């Protein structure tokens, strides 16, 4: 059996060789954390390289994702479908080994990391998912949900504010299966961090309610092993293991310096590392005995087989629970959900309520949740305003995780990244909520959800200047345009309770796309629809008021659809033939076929849009010969009705714009 330092050195040489071949990357962190990774992955991590999706595997998150060659080396060495050629293609086009770990690209990568701090927040979500699922499904003698979440994090993760948000909540919720390793090497891109990072990390995490194990020598396998054993013995608190390491360990001339953080070591220094470590093999050449010592295929197969035996006995004793667990972990919705959703939408249409879409959203949650035991909600301290609680909602706590709702506190960014972790863990359909304007705090985590193709749901209320007296600090203006510009994100802004119900059901059935649901504070009038119109709501845009050979098309969303309908009546009184389109989700509308889109927005007909947000994104639909009633500035503090009048977001303003444009065209 090769010695521990030899096994760790396999990580070091693979990492430096891959970075050198790519002439790009970060060798310092993998070389510095290799000893920690060796002990964790060889002595403690429960996983099966031949089945990376085994539900009860331990989760591993590399929060400092720039050190991606660390995890790629580990995956290759332990037997995942990551070949030596994949390592040679590090950072190359369409390889399994992109510059930062990406969920869905590489077997064994649990979440996309790179934006610092989000990985530890994802890990909090994974540990939270484990705790809630365990409370739901475990029974005496049947711990079918029983795994740990491990996270590596560096100085950068510690400095990012999201690490505070997520770690604080992790301590409050008593996530005892979460174990994080702090790579305390004192170096970031700009050099020694003592010039800009002097936090007392130990006291900081102790104040969160974590168990903290300080001053572990990150290059001493026995100290690392003892720290992990201590961490695993603590079931009521998450644990932070503070490891003192040397960045670029093994590099005679660059270790301990920022030089090895984010650049290849260079041909001469790579050769010096081999000499320093006593590594005689060439680039990407791992000795057979080292390969054999690292390979976890056999032990992983046995670990999963042992769990399968327990699950089979559990299935015999608790068949309904076992079936529900299997369904939820597969991501499949209940068989009758689609029919139930259609019936609910029809009921909302028949009821015809005039209510705020945020209230219609709460009604939708209350109606759909009993059919969706996997629904896991939450709000960033605004449940009473976002209206995200429903009759069966039960908040989780450190002592009682058998619930379906998380009170995230004022942690918008943390909430959104935690939800991403819950989603990649599996077993839940999660949603979070805040005021729409505070989406800005969380936007990068929402972007990561879109990048990872996670079907999480974000509820954003108080959607425009209709917020009123709270003023421009709280009134969204440019946020709708920003979300619509994000790839693989569906942004819905419903016009009434019916469109709200459709938006919610479409968000729930989504499998690879996150959804932003944007709701009003103010009441929205009910709109009558035919059966065909009702069916077309889910296409993202549809004709709400039709006419043969229209002179003009008016497009609206949310609270402005009723203004478009009112403007149409006024224009028709002036002899115009008007088609009105409601477009609650431009993203979904864009995915429809050309014939359908042409029927909604006929060619060679002037188009106009109205929305209480920034105008820019609407020129895609109205063209250069059309025009938009919307915002060009931030809002003001005043009652909503006064603001709509002041900024010209009115039916008469739309009428005047149309008439002016048509008259100019004729002249």
């Amino acid at each position: 059996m090769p010695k521990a330092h030899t096994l760790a050195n396999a990580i070091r040489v693979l990492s430096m060789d891959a970075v050198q071949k790519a002439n790009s990357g970060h060798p310092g962190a993998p070389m510095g954390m290799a000893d920690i990774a060796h002990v964790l992955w060889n002595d403690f991590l429960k996983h099966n390289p031949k089945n990376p999706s085994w539900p009860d595997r331990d989760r591993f998150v590399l929060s400092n994702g720039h050190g991606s060659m660390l995890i790629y080396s580990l995956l290759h060495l332990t037997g995942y479908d990551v070949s030596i050629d994949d390592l040679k293609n590090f950072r190359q086009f369409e390889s399994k080994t992109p510059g930062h770990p990406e969920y869905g690209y590489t077997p064994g990568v649990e979440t996309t990391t790179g934006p610092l701090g989000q990985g530890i927040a994802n890990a909090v979500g994974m540990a939270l998912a484990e705790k809630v699922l365990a409370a739901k499904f475990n029974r005496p003698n049947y711990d079918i949900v029983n795994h740990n979440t491990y996270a590596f994090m560096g100085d950068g993760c510690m400095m990012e504010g999201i690490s505070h948000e997520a770690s604080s909540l992790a301590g409050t919720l008593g996530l005892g299966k979460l174990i994080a390793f702090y790579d305390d090497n004192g170096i970031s891109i700009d050099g020694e961090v003592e010039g800009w990072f002097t936090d007392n990390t130990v006291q900081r995490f102790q104040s969160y309610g974590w168990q903290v194990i300080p001053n572990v020598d990150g290059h001493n396998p026995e100290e690392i092993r003892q720290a992990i054993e201590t961490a695993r013995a603590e079931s009521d608190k998450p644990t932070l293991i503070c490891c003192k390491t040397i960045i670029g360990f093994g590099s005679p001339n660059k270790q301990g310096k920022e030089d090895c953080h984010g650049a290849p070591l260079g041909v001469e220094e790579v050769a010096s590392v081999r000499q320093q470590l006593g590594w005689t093999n060439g680039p990407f050449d791992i000795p057979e005995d080292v390969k054999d010592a690292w390979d976890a295929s056999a032990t992983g197969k046995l670990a999963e087989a042992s769990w399968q035996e327990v699950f089979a006995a559990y299935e015999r004793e608790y068949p309904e629970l076992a079936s529900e667990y299997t369904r939820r972990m597969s991501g499949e919705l209940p068989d009758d959900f689609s029919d139930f959703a259609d019936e609910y939408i029809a009921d909302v249409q028949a009821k015809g309520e005039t209510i705020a879409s945020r209230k219609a959203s709460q009604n939708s949650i209350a109606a759909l949740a009993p059919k969706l035991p996997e629904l896991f909600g939450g709000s960033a301290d605004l449940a009473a305003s976002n209206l995200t609680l429903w009759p069966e909602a039960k908040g989780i706590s450190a002592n009682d995780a058998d619930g379906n709702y998380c009170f995230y506190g004022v942690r918008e960014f943390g909430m959104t990244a935690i939800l991403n972790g819950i989603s990649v863990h599996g077993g839940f359909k999660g949603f979070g909520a805040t005021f729409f304007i505070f989406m800005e705090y969380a936007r990068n985590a929402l972007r990561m959800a879109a990048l990872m193709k996670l079907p999480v749901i974000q509820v954003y209320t108080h959607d425009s200047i209709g917020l009123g007296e709270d003023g421009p600090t709280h009134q969204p203006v440019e946020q709708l345009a920003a979300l619509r510009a994000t790839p693989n994100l569906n942004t819905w802004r419903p016009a009434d309770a019916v469109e709200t119900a459709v938006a919610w059901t479409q968000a729930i059935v989504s499998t690879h796309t996150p959804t932003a649901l944007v709701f009003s504070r103010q009441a929205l009038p009910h709109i009558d629809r035919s059966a065909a119109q009702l069916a077309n709501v889910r296409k993202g845009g549809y004709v709400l008021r039709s006419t043969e050979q229209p002179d003009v098309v008016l497009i609206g969303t949310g609270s402005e659809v009723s203004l478009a309908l009112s403007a149409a009546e006024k224009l028709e009184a002036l002899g115009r033939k008007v088609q009105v389109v409601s477009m609650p989700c431009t993203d979904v509308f864009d995915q429809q076929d050309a014939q359908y889109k042409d029927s909604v927005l006929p060619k060679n007909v002037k188009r106009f849009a109205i929305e209480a947000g920034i105008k820019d994104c609407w020129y895609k639909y109205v063209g250069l010969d059309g025009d938009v009633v919307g915002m060009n500035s931030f809002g003001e503090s005043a009652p909503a009705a006064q603001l709509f009048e002041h900024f010209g977001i009115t039916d008469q303003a739309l009428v005047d714009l149309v008439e002016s444009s048509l008259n100019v065209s004729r002249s």
Side-chain angles (χ1 to χ4, degrees), residues 68 138 175-176 183 190-191 223 250 262 338 371 395 431 457 496 540 543 571 576 635 639 652 660:
S68 55
N138 286 353
L175 302 182
D183 180 31
D190 283 350
E223 284 194 29
S338 180
K371 282 285 182 180
F431 75 84
I457 303 169
D496 66 354
V543 177
L571 287 166
R576 306 295 187 189
Q652 189 58 51
S660 174

mmCIF file of all heavy atoms in Angstrom, residues 68 138 175-176 183 190-191 223 250 262 338 371 395 431 457 496 540 543 571 576 635 639 652 660:
data_model
loop_
_atom_site.group_PDB
_atom_site.id
_atom_site.type_symbol
_atom_site.label_atom_id
_atom_site.label_comp_id
_atom_site.label_asym_id
_atom_site.label_seq_id
_atom_site.Cartn_x
_atom_site.Cartn_y
_atom_site.Cartn_z
ATOM 1 N N SER A 68 -10.600 23.493 -9.422
ATOM 2 C CA SER A 68 -11.384 22.385 -9.979
ATOM 3 C C SER A 68 -10.560 21.130 -10.261
ATOM 4 O O SER A 68 -11.094 20.020 -10.231
ATOM 5 C CB SER A 68 -12.077 22.831 -11.268
ATOM 6 O OG SER A 68 -11.131 23.344 -12.195
ATOM 7 N N ASN A 138 -37.337 8.404 7.591
ATOM 8 C CA ASN A 138 -36.677 7.420 8.439
ATOM 9 C C ASN A 138 -37.631 6.864 9.492
ATOM 10 O O ASN A 138 -38.514 7.568 9.992
ATOM 11 C CB ASN A 138 -35.454 8.019 9.130
ATOM 12 C CG ASN A 138 -34.288 8.206 8.171
ATOM 13 O OD1 ASN A 138 -34.341 7.777 7.025
ATOM 14 N ND2 ASN A 138 -33.229 8.843 8.647
ATOM 15 N N LEU A 175 -27.662 21.839 11.513
ATOM 16 C CA LEU A 175 -27.370 20.885 10.437
ATOM 17 C C LEU A 175 -26.113 20.083 10.775
ATOM 18 O O LEU A 175 -25.017 20.330 10.264
ATOM 19 C CB LEU A 175 -27.216 21.628 9.110
ATOM 20 C CG LEU A 175 -28.442 22.452 8.678
ATOM 21 C CD1 LEU A 175 -28.195 23.097 7.321
ATOM 22 C CD2 LEU A 175 -29.702 21.591 8.652
ATOM 23 N N GLY A 176 -26.280 19.107 11.637
ATOM 24 C CA GLY A 176 -25.158 18.345 12.160
ATOM 25 C C GLY A 176 -24.471 17.452 11.143
ATOM 26 O O GLY A 176 -23.370 16.956 11.407
ATOM 27 N N ASP A 183 -9.764 26.047 4.131
ATOM 28 C CA ASP A 183 -8.387 26.004 3.657
ATOM 29 C C ASP A 183 -7.719 27.330 3.997
ATOM 30 O O ASP A 183 -7.689 28.265 3.195
ATOM 31 C CB ASP A 183 -8.388 25.761 2.138
ATOM 32 C CG ASP A 183 -6.989 25.699 1.563
ATOM 33 O OD1 ASP A 183 -6.080 25.269 2.286
ATOM 34 O OD2 ASP A 183 -6.805 26.088 0.387
ATOM 35 N N ASP A 190 -4.537 38.702 -4.800
ATOM 36 C CA ASP A 190 -3.747 39.909 -4.572
ATOM 37 C C ASP A 190 -2.585 39.719 -3.601
ATOM 38 O O ASP A 190 -1.829 40.653 -3.350
ATOM 39 C CB ASP A 190 -4.650 41.037 -4.055
ATOM 40 C CG ASP A 190 -5.470 41.665 -5.160
ATOM 41 O OD1 ASP A 190 -5.195 41.366 -6.339
ATOM 42 O OD2 ASP A 190 -6.393 42.443 -4.858
ATOM 43 N N GLY A 191 -2.466 38.530 -3.037
ATOM 44 C CA GLY A 191 -1.339 38.285 -2.144
ATOM 45 C C GLY A 191 -1.782 37.795 -0.778
ATOM 46 O O GLY A 191 -2.794 37.101 -0.643
ATOM 47 N N GLU A 223 -3.915 14.239 12.031
ATOM 48 C CA GLU A 223 -4.694 15.353 12.591
ATOM 49 C C GLU A 223 -5.985 15.558 11.805
ATOM 50 O O GLU A 223 -7.040 15.826 12.383
ATOM 51 C CB GLU A 223 -3.860 16.643 12.579
ATOM 52 C CG GLU A 223 -2.805 16.715 13.660
ATOM 53 C CD GLU A 223 -2.241 18.114 13.820
ATOM 54 O OE1 GLU A 223 -2.981 19.092 13.537
ATOM 55 O OE2 GLU A 223 -1.065 18.236 14.217
ATOM 56 N N GLY A 250 4.506 21.668 -2.247
ATOM 57 C CA GLY A 250 5.351 20.826 -3.084
ATOM 58 C C GLY A 250 6.085 21.578 -4.163
ATOM 59 O O GLY A 250 6.984 21.025 -4.811
ATOM 60 N N GLY A 262 -3.325 31.248 -9.454
ATOM 61 C CA GLY A 262 -4.158 31.203 -10.652
ATOM 62 C C GLY A 262 -3.387 31.187 -11.946
ATOM 63 O O GLY A 262 -3.838 31.759 -12.947
ATOM 64 N N SER A 338 -51.309 16.647 -13.270
ATOM 65 C CA SER A 338 -51.671 17.435 -14.451
ATOM 66 C C SER A 338 -53.178 17.654 -14.519
ATOM 67 O O SER A 338 -53.644 18.778 -14.752
ATOM 68 C CB SER A 338 -51.183 16.735 -15.716
ATOM 69 O OG SER A 338 -51.526 17.486 -16.857
ATOM 70 N N LYS A 371 -51.359 18.311 -3.063
ATOM 71 C CA LYS A 371 -51.044 17.308 -4.081
ATOM 72 C C LYS A 371 -49.541 17.122 -4.258
ATOM 73 O O LYS A 371 -49.108 16.240 -5.001
ATOM 74 C CB LYS A 371 -51.656 17.726 -5.426
ATOM 75 C CG LYS A 371 -53.141 17.457 -5.549
ATOM 76 C CD LYS A 371 -53.382 15.968 -5.750
ATOM 77 C CE LYS A 371 -54.853 15.656 -5.929
ATOM 78 N NZ LYS A 371 -55.076 14.198 -6.127
ATOM 79 N N GLY A 395 -43.096 25.264 9.595
ATOM 80 C CA GLY A 395 -41.704 25.669 9.619
ATOM 81 C C GLY A 395 -40.815 24.628 10.260
ATOM 82 O O GLY A 395 -41.208 23.950 11.210
ATOM 83 N N PHE A 431 -39.350 26.488 -3.393
ATOM 84 C CA PHE A 431 -39.531 27.882 -3.784
ATOM 85 C C PHE A 431 -39.101 28.798 -2.647
ATOM 86 O O PHE A 431 -39.192 28.461 -1.473
ATOM 87 C CB PHE A 431 -40.973 28.177 -4.219
ATOM 88 C CG PHE A 431 -41.990 28.273 -3.113
ATOM 89 C CD1 PHE A 431 -42.182 29.459 -2.405
ATOM 90 C CD2 PHE A 431 -42.789 27.184 -2.792
ATOM 91 C CE1 PHE A 431 -43.139 29.551 -1.401
ATOM 92 C CE2 PHE A 431 -43.743 27.263 -1.784
ATOM 93 C CZ PHE A 431 -43.917 28.461 -1.085
ATOM 94 N N ILE A 457 -38.117 27.592 -7.982
ATOM 95 C CA ILE A 457 -39.127 28.635 -8.185
ATOM 96 C C ILE A 457 -38.828 29.791 -7.249
ATOM 97 O O ILE A 457 -38.601 29.583 -6.052
ATOM 98 C CB ILE A 457 -40.547 28.088 -7.912
ATOM 99 C CG1 ILE A 457 -40.839 26.867 -8.796
ATOM 100 C CG2 ILE A 457 -41.597 29.174 -8.125
ATOM 101 C CD1 ILE A 457 -42.102 26.114 -8.397
ATOM 102 N N ASP A 496 -53.781 38.354 -13.945
ATOM 103 C CA ASP A 496 -54.886 38.152 -12.998
ATOM 104 C C ASP A 496 -54.709 36.808 -12.318
ATOM 105 O O ASP A 496 -53.670 36.140 -12.472
ATOM 106 C CB ASP A 496 -56.247 38.265 -13.699
ATOM 107 C CG ASP A 496 -56.498 37.157 -14.719
ATOM 108 O OD1 ASP A 496 -55.577 36.347 -14.973
ATOM 109 O OD2 ASP A 496 -57.618 37.102 -15.273
ATOM 110 N N GLY A 540 -47.286 31.361 -23.022
ATOM 111 C CA GLY A 540 -46.512 32.549 -22.682
ATOM 112 C C GLY A 540 -47.057 33.841 -23.238
ATOM 113 O O GLY A 540 -46.825 34.915 -22.674
ATOM 114 N N VAL A 543 -53.636 35.801 -27.742
ATOM 115 C CA VAL A 543 -54.571 36.858 -28.122
ATOM 116 C C VAL A 543 -55.712 36.887 -27.116
ATOM 117 O O VAL A 543 -56.446 35.912 -26.967
ATOM 118 C CB VAL A 543 -55.103 36.649 -29.545
ATOM 119 C CG1 VAL A 543 -56.142 37.725 -29.878
ATOM 120 C CG2 VAL A 543 -53.966 36.665 -30.551
ATOM 121 N N LEU A 571 -59.736 53.040 -28.516
ATOM 122 C CA LEU A 571 -59.262 53.110 -29.897
ATOM 123 C C LEU A 571 -60.321 52.630 -30.875
ATOM 124 O O LEU A 571 -60.464 53.186 -31.988
ATOM 125 C CB LEU A 571 -57.984 52.282 -30.051
ATOM 126 C CG LEU A 571 -56.720 52.890 -29.429
ATOM 127 C CD1 LEU A 571 -55.609 51.852 -29.344
ATOM 128 C CD2 LEU A 571 -56.251 54.099 -30.236
ATOM 129 N N ARG A 576 -60.475 52.376 -34.837
ATOM 130 C CA ARG A 576 -59.334 51.474 -35.019
ATOM 131 C C ARG A 576 -59.758 50.024 -34.784
ATOM 132 O O ARG A 576 -60.650 49.748 -33.977
ATOM 133 C CB ARG A 576 -58.204 51.819 -34.049
ATOM 134 C CG ARG A 576 -57.750 53.266 -34.081
ATOM 135 C CD ARG A 576 -57.133 53.643 -35.401
ATOM 136 N NE ARG A 576 -56.556 54.986 -35.349
ATOM 137 C CZ ARG A 576 -56.097 55.633 -36.407
ATOM 138 N NH1 ARG A 576 -56.144 55.074 -37.603
ATOM 139 N NH2 ARG A 576 -55.582 56.848 -36.270
ATOM 140 N N GLY A 635 -38.595 55.234 -9.847
ATOM 141 C CA GLY A 635 -39.905 55.689 -9.409
ATOM 142 C C GLY A 635 -39.825 56.841 -8.420
ATOM 143 O O GLY A 635 -38.808 57.519 -8.280
ATOM 144 N N PRO A 639 -48.683 57.428 -3.533
ATOM 145 C CA PRO A 639 -49.666 56.365 -3.761
ATOM 146 C C PRO A 639 -49.584 55.840 -5.191
ATOM 147 O O PRO A 639 -49.266 56.587 -6.128
ATOM 148 C CB PRO A 639 -50.997 57.058 -3.491
ATOM 149 C CG PRO A 639 -50.652 58.166 -2.548
ATOM 150 C CD PRO A 639 -49.298 58.635 -2.973
ATOM 151 N N GLN A 652 -54.997 56.001 -21.416
ATOM 152 C CA GLN A 652 -55.053 57.157 -22.301
ATOM 153 C C GLN A 652 -53.677 57.463 -22.906
ATOM 154 O O GLN A 652 -53.571 57.847 -24.072
ATOM 155 C CB GLN A 652 -55.564 58.390 -21.552
ATOM 156 C CG GLN A 652 -55.864 59.582 -22.464
ATOM 157 C CD GLN A 652 -56.884 59.244 -23.539
ATOM 158 O OE1 GLN A 652 -57.958 58.706 -23.254
ATOM 159 N NE2 GLN A 652 -56.564 59.549 -24.794
ATOM 160 N N SER A 660 -50.947 58.982 -32.289
ATOM 161 C CA SER A 660 -49.862 59.817 -32.793
ATOM 162 C C SER A 660 -49.034 59.060 -33.817
ATOM 163 O O SER A 660 -48.689 59.589 -34.880
ATOM 164 C CB SER A 660 -48.974 60.264 -31.630
ATOM 165 O OG SER A 660 -47.838 60.949 -32.094
#
